[in-house]
Amino acid sequence: MNTSDFTSNFWNIYIAVILIISFIGMIWLLVSQNKTKKTKDGQAETMGHEWDGIEEYNNPLPRWWFYLFVITVVFSIGYLILYPGFGTFKGILGWTSQNQYEGEMQTAKAKYQPIYDKFAAMPVEQIAQDPEAKVIGQNLFNTYCIQCHGADAKGAKGFPNLTDHDWLWGGDPESIQSTIKDGRIGVMLPYGGLPPFPEESVKDVTHYLLSLNEHPEYKDRSNPARAAKGKAIYDQICFTCHQADGKGMIGLAPNMTDNIWLWGGRDKDIENTIINGHTNEMPAWSNFLVTTENGKEDDSKLKILTAYVWGLSNTGANAAAAPAPVEAAPASDAAASAAAADEGDQVVVGDDGVVKFYFAVGSNNLAAGANDALAAVVQGVQEGKTVVISGFHDATGDAAQNAELAKQRAQAVQAALEALGVPADKIDLKKPESTTGDGSNAEARRVEVTLQ
């Protein structure tokens, strides 16, 4: 059995015959109507009707009109010779829409791929600051994200706001990129009508959730007596996902203590969520933003869009609202260069062949005088050495936040070296390390670059 059992050449022949008949008919019509018709006695023939003594002659078409028809017929024949359209004949040019698409894609790739490659070698935090990357990222956002999250990225009921710092699946660049690439599905189970959730108990739990909220707008609406009853139910059922303190868990359940409500913060909205539940799906965009050619995956578009989304809540005015990384206070016994960093000045020091980049508290920006030290590192690479970058962080405070800031600082040094021409395969980025000792001085806020 083959495809010929299900298809035939009938329609191709049918279309070709229709075209031939149409052309013959058009040519006959033009020729037959291109002369003045006369009666047997030599008088000009009329159309056979009269109005108030006026008759209409049966004259041929005006010459300009006639030639327009001729040009149309000639053009049509020429088109069907050059391009497909006459049955199965493919045209002498061999044109196909697929070939044209692939050609346009190759042209676009040759024009834009170098730009994407440049950003692919940069950390997300640095891409988010680049004006050219912002324009590209906004275009990608307007293409794939605006339908749900809105033109201002502030979302709507059921669609998260991307400009705040409330992230259901994590707000670091890696988590955002994973969310865009693979999508997410969030489920709040419906509890309406199930024990211990009769209607009044739903209201009790709602009042308890309002009492947990740190925002007065919600806390003041809570009835203490009902909240006490709701706590007993919450501790029995809800704490499993939302935790005993109501702060939730990344990837599992939202924080109930802030003033952000995905499905609305009115009493009725909260009750509806408990009773009916919700299922949210963020679609995966890997098929649109990640391409594979010759077995190599190109995710540069995905990375630029990630940087744009991350930057919505981590640059400009929004950055000021971000939770500040927890770092230890400066110590008075630091070395001279370290002391300068404690005062807010960033310094770069060469010590026993190891270049140290010091950073101010909460900052991942390189010092203004870093260029000379970077040049020395580049020279070492040109001599055949490999760069090892180590980021350090405080031994006090929130370890996860400190480690993330140390990573960002190391990536800033890496990006600066790559911008100066150091190949990525010549750079080894080590996992952030905790500073030994009390970790309370500028030594805890450094990046070391070693040439090996």
Side-chain angles (χ1 to χ4, degrees):
M1 186 177 293
N2 52 51
T3 55
S4 64
D5 296 325
F6 302 95
T7 61
S8 72
N9 208 32
F10 168 78
W11 290 110
N12 294 318
I13 297 174
Y14 174 80
I15 292 172
V17 170
I18 291 294
L19 285 173
I20 292 173
I21 294 175
S22 298
F23 280 121
I24 293 174
M26 178 62 71
I27 293 171
W28 172 82
L29 181 63
L30 289 175
V31 172
S32 65
Q33 300 300 314
N34 190 36
K35 59 182 179 179
T36 301
K37 296 181 180 181
K38 296 183 179 181
T39 62
K40 292 180 180 181
D41 57 2
Q43 299 296 319
E45 185 179 280
T46 65
M47 297 301 295
H49 53 261
E50 175 185 336
W51 182 262
D52 199 18
I54 300 174
E55 295 182 273
E56 181 184 0
Y57 287 116
N58 188 8
N59 291 327
L61 293 173
R63 306 312 293 171
W64 66 270
W65 198 353
F66 171 79
Y67 287 121
L68 280 179
F69 277 110
V70 172
I71 292 172
T72 301
V73 172
V74 173
F75 174 83
S76 301
I77 295 174
Y79 180 92
L80 293 175
I81 292 173
L82 297 175
Y83 295 96
F86 188 73
T88 57
F89 179 63
K90 298 183 182 300
I92 62 177
L93 295 181
W95 177 92
T96 66
S97 58
Q98 180 68 25
N99 290 341
Q100 180 173 339
Y101 168 77
E102 292 177 353
E104 292 175 353
M105 291 298 293
Q106 289 298 323
T107 301
K109 182 176 181 180
K111 181 178 181 180
Y112 296 110
Q113 193 61 44
I115 300 175
Y116 289 129
D117 290 342
K118 178 184 72 173
F119 293 124
M122 296 166 57
V124 167
E125 296 82 356
Q126 187 175 353
I127 298 174
Q129 303 287 343
D130 189 283
E132 185 179 20
K134 288 182 180 180
V135 173
I136 298 174
Q138 185 173 23
N139 289 335
L140 291 171
F141 184 89
N142 291 343
T143 300
Y144 300 109
C145 313
I146 194 174
Q147 297 87 345
C148 295
H149 296 284
D152 58 0
K154 293 186 177 180
K157 192 172 184 178
F159 300 100
N161 182 349
L162 302 180
T163 65
D164 57 22
H165 290 274
D166 187 70
W167 296 92
L168 299 176
W169 299 92
D172 60 280
E174 291 80 6
S175 297
I176 295 174
Q177 181 164 317
S178 177
T179 297
I180 298 173
K181 180 180 180 182
D182 302 320
R184 305 287 189 184
I185 296 180
V187 178
M188 163 66 187
L189 296 176
Y191 286 95
L194 299 177
F197 280 101
E199 182 178 351
E200 291 305 310
S201 294
V202 170
K203 294 181 179 180
D204 292 339
V205 173
T206 298
H207 280 274
Y208 177 66
L209 294 177
L210 292 173
S211 72
L212 289 176
N213 203 281
E214 60 192 20
H215 200 278
E217 176 187 349
Y218 301 101
K219 187 180 288 292
D220 292 346
R221 296 204 326 249
S222 174
N223 181 300
R226 303 207 71 156
K229 296 179 182 179
K231 183 180 186 307
I233 301 175
Y234 180 94
D235 291 343
Q236 180 183 354
I237 303 295
C238 310
F239 85 98
T240 306
C241 297
H242 294 281
Q243 303 298 293
D245 57 3
K247 294 186 179 296
M249 295 178 65
I250 293 293
L252 182 61
N255 184 353
M256 309 304 296
T257 67
D258 56 22
N259 62 338
I260 298 174
W261 302 87
L262 183 59
W263 290 95
R266 300 180 308 164
D267 291 12
K268 290 295 183 182
D269 293 328
I270 300 173
E271 292 171 11
N272 180 64
T273 297
I274 297 173
I275 295 172
N276 299 312
H278 290 294
T279 299
N280 266 26
E281 181 173 359
M282 160 72 182
W285 294 100
S286 57
N287 290 339
F288 299 90
L289 298 172
V290 181
T291 59
T292 302
E293 186 173 348
N294 299 325
K296 184 178 180 181
E297 189 177 85
D298 180 9
D299 63 351
S300 52
K301 289 184 181 179
L302 173 64
K303 192 172 185 180
I304 293 173
L305 180 56
T306 298
Y308 179 79
V309 173
W310 180 86
L312 290 172
S313 59
N314 288 280
T315 57
N318 289 329
V326 180
E327 290 198 281
S332 58
D333 59 348
S337 60
D342 286 337
E343 295 171 2
D345 298 326
Q346 303 168 44
V347 297
V348 180
V349 180
D351 182 19
D352 297 331
V354 177
V355 179
K356 297 182 180 180
F357 296 78
Y358 291 93
F359 293 80
V361 175
S363 173
N364 62 352
N365 295 322
L366 284 171
N371 290 338
D372 292 339
L374 291 170
V377 176
V378 173
Q379 182 178 354
V381 174
Q382 293 173 345
E383 295 172 357
K385 297 181 179 180
T386 300
V387 177
V388 178
I389 302 178
S390 303
F392 292 81
H393 60 80
D394 283 355
T396 60
D398 188 293
Q401 290 181 334
N402 290 343
E404 177 60 25
L405 185 55
K407 176 182 175 182
Q408 293 176 10
R409 290 166 174 167
Q411 289 175 333
V413 175
Q414 178 188 20
L417 291 172
E418 290 181 354
L420 293 173
V422 176
D425 58 2
K426 290 290 185 180
I427 301 176
D428 180 16
L429 196 64
K430 297 181 65 177
K431 183 178 180 181
E433 303 177 30
S434 177
T435 303
T436 57
D438 63 4
S440 61
N441 55 35
E443 287 294 319
R445 299 186 297 278
R446 77 184 190 278
V447 171
E448 291 185 355
V449 177
T450 306
L451 292 170
Q452 297 181 348

